[in-house]
Amino acid sequence: MDKIFLIIEREFKSRVQKKSFLIATLLVPLLFPAVIGGLAYFAIKEKQNSGPRELMVVNEMDSLTLKSNDDFKINFLDNPLEQALVAFNESEDFGLLYIPALDIEKPEGIVLYTKTTPGPSVVGDIENLLERHVKELKLAKYEIDKETLSKLNTQIALDTRLSNEENEQSSSSGLASSIGYITGFLIYMFLFVYGGQVMQGVIEEKNSKIVEVIVSTVKPFHFMLGKVVGVASVGLLQIIIWIAIMGGIYLGAGSYLGLNDTREAQIEQVSKTVGEDSEELKKSFAENPKIKKAYEQISNIPIVTIVISFVLYFIGGYLLYGALFAAVGSAVDTPADAQQFMLPIMLPILIGFFGMSMFVFDDPSGSMSFWLSMIPFTSPIVMMGRIGFGVPIWELALSILLLVGGFVFTIWLAGRIYRVGILMHGTKVNYKVLAKWFMMKN
């Protein structure tokens, strides 16, 4: 056991003392918000500077009159469609919209011609433009004025609440989905990053012959276990520092903006800033149901449960996959040789990520969501996607228990390959050879 701890210490110190670790640890919490904010800024700027798209229109329905707006500059053509297509192909315009004589009860046959496939948002904008005009024609046909229509239109904001025998509290499926996606994606990314580090480290040490010196005093399985746990310790330290930095940024920004005060204090702060209209705004702010609901939903987020679960699933998922990455690294001589063995490792990770997107956000308590969050190969990602929606304690405990059994099994399996593969050089390795190494007796 002492030798395993020495290997863990060696792996930990050798990685933590690198400048790259310090730079990545300090920059990542700042880099992600900066990248997201920068992309959002450029997206808004591009939208503002792009101007309206030139859109030719051949309209055979006189009662439907399109008008230019901020998105499209409409140029009507009186030519037949065939001649209009020739003119469009010779122009620099974005598209040609053909509107035949329509039955407004069943508007079919409208075609948009473009030189490249348009984005879904552009197609949606044109569809919305046409739907608004067809809707106006229907209002005129059925003699319904806009005021009556606005009275008929009803919007209902459903107030979702979690209820149990003790109390009830407000919930938000949008907030739960956002938390689940972010934490699930981080687990997905960390599995590849730290698993790749283990595999790369094993290949380098195997080629440098250092490992042959080490295994003369330490069993290969103990060496593999120490290496996997050592890198896990580095990753765990990095995550804890990131949580601390981002928590500090959140609290600092909240304090600066007054978001950490009580709701009454914020009301008072806002009231002071607006001066003479303070009483009216104070009353409006206090009685605003959306603000009250948002505060209640944010305060009901189980932050502690999410953070603890994230750490547990990161450790469990990493140990499960890290052992497999180490086994692959021990079997090959170069990273290029490892590519043939990556698919069986990557496939369950991808299934977990896509399963989270397809099943969890649609029905977090459904059977597929449940079973994917129980299978150890997919549970680190899928359970993090579910946890924001509220998961029964017994499901969480069972999932973690199965994950522990899963990484114990993969470490045992990987260890049997590692003990032989780490000493082999120049061998053409395939799945048959790996099976032979696995079955080989001590």
Side-chain angles (χ1 to χ4, degrees), residues 159 161 170-172 175 250 263 266 285 288-301:
D159 184 12
R161 288 183 172 272
S170 180
S171 64
S172 169
L175 195 59
Y250 173 79
R263 184 164 63 88
Q266 291 181 43
F285 190 80
N288 190 320
K290 292 184 178 179
I291 294 177
K292 292 171 65 176
K293 186 177 179 181
Y295 272 102
E296 189 178 356
Q297 290 171 345
I298 293 173
S299 63
N300 290 335
I301 297 174

Side-chain angles (χ1 to χ4, degrees), residues 14 17 67 94 158 167 232 263 286 290 301 384 390 410 427:
S14 65
Q17 291 174 351
K67 295 180 180 178
F94 161 73
L158 197 62
N167 57 15
R263 184 164 63 88
K290 292 184 178 179
I301 297 174
M384 288 312 304
T410 58
T427 305

Side-chain angles (χ1 to χ4, degrees), residues 412-433:
W412 170 76
L413 184 148
R416 292 189 64 81
I417 297 174
Y418 187 93
R419 66 194 170 124
V420 182
I422 197 68
L423 300 174
M424 295 291 182
H425 294 275
T427 305
K428 187 176 181 180
V429 183
N430 51 36
Y431 288 103
K432 186 177 180 181
V433 174

Side-chain angles (χ1 to χ4, degrees), residues 101-126:
L102 291 174
D103 175 5
I104 60 173
E105 301 297 337
K106 195 175 182 181
E108 296 179 343
I110 302 174
V111 181
L112 174 65
Y113 297 92
T114 57
K115 293 167 185 169
T116 57
T117 303
S121 63
V122 175
V123 175
D125 289 341
I126 296 176

Side-chain angles (χ1 to χ4, degrees), residues 182-191 310 313-314 380-381 384:
I182 292 171
T183 53
F185 177 76
L186 289 175
I187 293 280
Y188 164 83
M189 188 177 67
F190 290 156
L191 291 180
F310 182 84
Y313 278 103
F314 163 73
I381 297 173
M384 288 312 304

Side-chain angles (χ1 to χ4, degrees), residues 294-433:
Y295 272 102
E296 189 178 356
Q297 290 171 345
I298 293 173
S299 63
N300 290 335
I301 297 174
I303 297 292
V304 176
T305 304
I306 291 173
V307 171
I308 293 175
S309 300
F310 182 84
V311 172
L312 291 177
Y313 278 103
F314 163 73
I315 295 173
Y318 166 77
L319 290 177
L320 189 148
Y321 282 102
L324 297 178
F325 277 108
V328 171
S330 70
V332 299
D333 294 328
T334 65
D337 295 337
Q339 299 304 314
Q340 60 179 317
F341 301 114
M342 293 306 295
L343 182 61
I345 299 177
M346 293 172 59
L347 195 58
I349 299 177
L350 293 174
I351 291 174
F353 183 74
F354 289 115
M356 177 184 71
S357 303
M358 294 175 63
F359 300 111
V360 173
F361 299 147
D362 182 53
D363 184 6
S365 300
S367 58
M368 284 299 296
S369 300
F370 172 81
W371 287 112
L372 286 175
S373 62
M374 292 296 140
I375 298 172
F377 289 95
T378 55
S379 64
I381 297 173
V382 178
M383 183 56 89
M384 288 312 304
R386 290 184 63 199
I387 205 160
F389 293 92
V391 178
I393 294 296
W394 72 266
E395 289 188 19
L396 199 57
L398 178 60
S399 175
I400 292 174
L401 187 64
L402 291 173
L403 181 60
V404 172
F407 74 68
V408 169
F409 170 73
T410 58
I411 286 177
W412 170 76
L413 184 148
R416 292 189 64 81
I417 297 174
Y418 187 93
R419 66 194 170 124
V420 182
I422 197 68
L423 300 174
M424 295 291 182
H425 294 275
T427 305
K428 187 176 181 180
V429 183
N430 51 36
Y431 288 103
K432 186 177 180 181
V433 174

Side-chain angles (χ1 to χ4, degrees), residues 24-36:
T25 303
L26 296 178
L27 285 186
V28 166
L30 306 175
L31 196 60
F32 272 96
V35 169
I36 294 172

